[in-house]
Amino acid sequence: MTTNAKFRFDLFESNIAAVLQDCSYINLPFELPGVNDEVNDLLTNCGKLFFQDTTATSDLLQCETDSKIILDIAWEKMNTGHWKDVDTNWRYVYTLASLFKVLCLLARSDSNKIDIIKACDMGLLMGAPLMKNILSRIASKVSSMTIMEKNQDFISKAKKWKMSPISEDISLKNEVKVEKKLSQEDFIKNYMEKSCPVVLIDGIKNWPALSSKPWSIEYILEKARYRTVPIEIGSKYTDDNWTQKLMTIEDFVEKYITNKSQQKEVGYLAQHNLFDQIPEFFEDIELPSYITKKDDVDISVYFGPDGTISPLHFDPKYNLLAQVMGEKYIRLYSEDQTEFLYPRHNTWLSNTSQVDIDNPDSESFPLFSQATYQECVLKAGQLLFIPPKYWHYVRSLSNNQAIQMCCEKGSLLTRESDFIVIAFKKDHWLAKTKGEVGKKEDIIIA
């Protein structure tokens, strides 16, 4: 049975109501499989509140209380055992409860906007996307409203955030090959098919993040300082005391970049898909033309101070690492050097070496000195191609921002003899095999 009542858009300010249009498609009652009746009933009661004719302040307070109960139950379910084994329906429960909590806060005139943004982000980080990612759109709207209201306070703080990404001087011995204006055919033939890394010094030069919307610490704060993100605590993930903590981007910058010298540990925003959480940032980048399938690309953002380290490891996919601000030192070992690199034996870190690159233990790992490698300092505006299973160690040399794009071979271009590029769309090259070309709309431009 579903409700035929209309969603109460009149409970919200007009600029917020415009974002909530997809809430009209909420179906009641909730009967999520694998979820107990108590939770389904609580979700249904919360949903009914926004479809009934009259809504009192006491109703909103009760809905907020019920949503918090649901969030606690879902949190316990999602944090029991391994994350990969969590029933997806409990993630939907968490998203729905977050949405109802947010709606309650939005409908009340005395709510703190920063609390609303945090509730949205928790739903985005822990839940599953619903209603065209409605929590992301609400968070973006409320965040922009809050930033406008508090802009003067930001201007007064921004002075201490202006930090030059000065890098330490590194002497390189075996440099990764560098290319400029590399054609697609040469990229495929000389690097992708031969599994060879390469630095493309003009690989992302047309990104707005490097031109019309230059990324910097100030820019990220100006756009998203109240957004909650996962921060890695510890210089590298192999440390025994490594952990993660949720905090706002503003608090992260204040604690781990501005006042880094006062902290015992290092903080790093790493391996996080910021673009899913804050889609407006995606307007600042463009996927390289070597990638043909946008939806199959895993995109992660790295943002932090100097001294952060990704220990020697490999990824199973093709990796395009774009340096947007600052510099990184990167050392690479081909797959045939694996016998000298001592991979860890535990399953979830089997792609990571036991060797500490900065302080190698020659007694424990005597063969490591025989391993040959290439290295580079990746600078702002450059793109590094890392083939699958190519070992790499990364150390930040300055305050930095980078974007990692990982994909399977099927998402990259193949030999030009096998395809023809038809057109360049907004975010990817549209390519077809020769056998697929022939329709009137197939206008060859490359």
Side-chain angles (χ1 to χ4, degrees), residues 102-169:
V102 166
L103 292 176
C104 291
L105 293 172
L106 287 170
R108 287 169 41 198
S109 59
D110 60 343
S111 297
N112 186 320
K113 286 187 174 66
I114 295 177
D115 290 338
I116 296 172
I117 298 167
K118 182 177 181 180
C120 287
D121 281 329
M122 290 301 297
L124 289 166
L125 293 170
M126 301 300 297
L130 283 174
M131 303 176 200
K132 300 178 182 177
N133 216 6
I134 191 169
L135 286 176
S136 176
R137 286 181 283 140
I138 295 172
S140 294
K141 184 64 177 179
V142 178
S143 179
S144 64
M145 292 166 60
T146 308
I147 285 171
M148 288 179 64
E149 292 172 3
K150 300 189 178 187
N151 194 49
Q152 192 59 44
D153 178 55
F154 171 74
I155 292 173
S156 65
K157 280 185 175 183
K159 294 179 181 178
K160 63 182 177 181
W161 287 327
K162 290 188 177 297
M163 290 165 282
S164 168
I166 298 174
S167 176
E168 63 181 277
D169 189 27

Side-chain angles (χ1 to χ4, degrees), residues 314-332:
F314 69 83
D315 299 312
K317 299 182 178 182
Y318 289 92
N319 186 341
L320 289 166
L321 180 63
Q323 192 67 24
V324 182
M325 185 195 85
E327 299 181 354
K328 293 181 185 293
Y329 169 76
I330 303 172
R331 186 184 291 187
L332 303 113

Side-chain angles (χ1 to χ4, degrees), residues 165-394:
I166 298 174
S167 176
E168 63 181 277
D169 189 27
I170 298 288
S171 178
L172 304 177
K173 296 179 181 178
N174 307 300
E175 295 190 47
V176 176
K177 191 165 183 180
V178 174
E179 292 277 11
K180 186 177 182 180
K181 297 182 179 179
L182 184 67
S183 70
Q184 294 168 344
E185 183 177 15
D186 286 340
F187 169 73
I188 296 165
K189 181 174 63 176
N190 298 328
Y191 298 102
M192 188 179 131
E193 291 184 347
K194 293 181 179 179
S195 291
C196 293
V198 61
V199 173
L200 306 170
I201 61 174
D202 55 355
I204 58 171
K205 67 177 183 179
N206 294 324
W207 282 15
L210 287 151
S211 53
S212 59
K213 299 179 181 179
W215 276 26
S216 63
I217 295 173
E218 300 82 53
Y219 178 79
I220 299 298
L221 287 166
E222 182 182 351
K223 296 293 184 182
R225 59 186 179 272
Y226 300 121
R227 303 300 299 270
T228 297
V229 292
I231 300 299
E232 295 186 0
I233 308 298
S235 62
K236 49 185 180 290
Y237 64 75
T238 50
D239 289 348
D240 292 336
N241 59 350
W242 181 91
T243 187
Q244 286 186 308
K245 183 178 181 180
L246 294 174
M247 61 196 323
T248 66
I249 291 177
E250 182 176 40
D251 288 344
F252 161 63
V253 170
E254 185 82 23
K255 184 172 183 178
Y256 292 108
I257 297 181
T258 305
N259 298 306
K260 178 193 170 190
S261 60
Q262 301 175 21
Q263 308 303 321
K264 293 181 180 179
E265 69 280 336
V266 175
Y268 195 22
L269 173 59
Q271 301 182 76
H272 178 52
N273 192 337
L274 193 66
F275 301 108
D276 272 358
Q277 185 183 356
I278 312 176
E280 50 265 40
F281 277 135
F282 199 74
E283 299 173 2
D284 300 345
I285 73 167
E286 298 173 4
L287 292 183
S289 60
Y290 308 113
I291 297 174
T292 60
K293 296 181 181 178
K294 168 190 169 184
D295 294 338
D296 296 333
V297 181
D298 300 324
I299 307 178
S300 299
V301 171
Y302 293 77
F303 173 31
D306 63 290
T308 55
I309 292 172
S310 292
L312 187 62
H313 70 286
F314 69 83
D315 299 312
K317 299 182 178 182
Y318 289 92
N319 186 341
L320 289 166
L321 180 63
Q323 192 67 24
V324 182
M325 185 195 85
E327 299 181 354
K328 293 181 185 293
Y329 169 76
I330 303 172
R331 186 184 291 187
L332 303 113
Y333 297 82
S334 60
E335 185 180 0
D336 61 15
Q337 299 297 300
T338 300
E339 62 180 303
F340 307 122
L341 303 181
Y342 299 90
R344 292 171 184 260
H345 302 300
N346 47 326
T347 305
W348 76 280
L349 280 179
S350 59
N351 71 327
T352 303
S353 171
Q354 300 177 61
V355 181
D356 182 348
I357 294 294
D358 296 304
N359 297 288
D361 184 341
S362 58
E363 292 187 6
S364 299
F365 313 112
L367 299 180
F368 176 68
S369 61
Q370 299 179 38
T372 59
Y373 61 86
Q374 300 176 67
E375 57 189 347
C376 68
V377 171
L378 195 65
K379 300 182 179 182
Q382 297 181 348
L383 182 70
L384 172 64
F385 169 67
I386 306 175
K389 297 187 177 180
Y390 222 95
W391 295 84
H392 49 285
Y393 159 90
V394 184

Side-chain angles (χ1 to χ4, degrees), residues 5 8 10 49 51-55:
R8 291 285 308 280
D10 60 295
L49 175 64
F51 288 88
Q52 61 192 27
D53 293 335
T54 58
T55 304

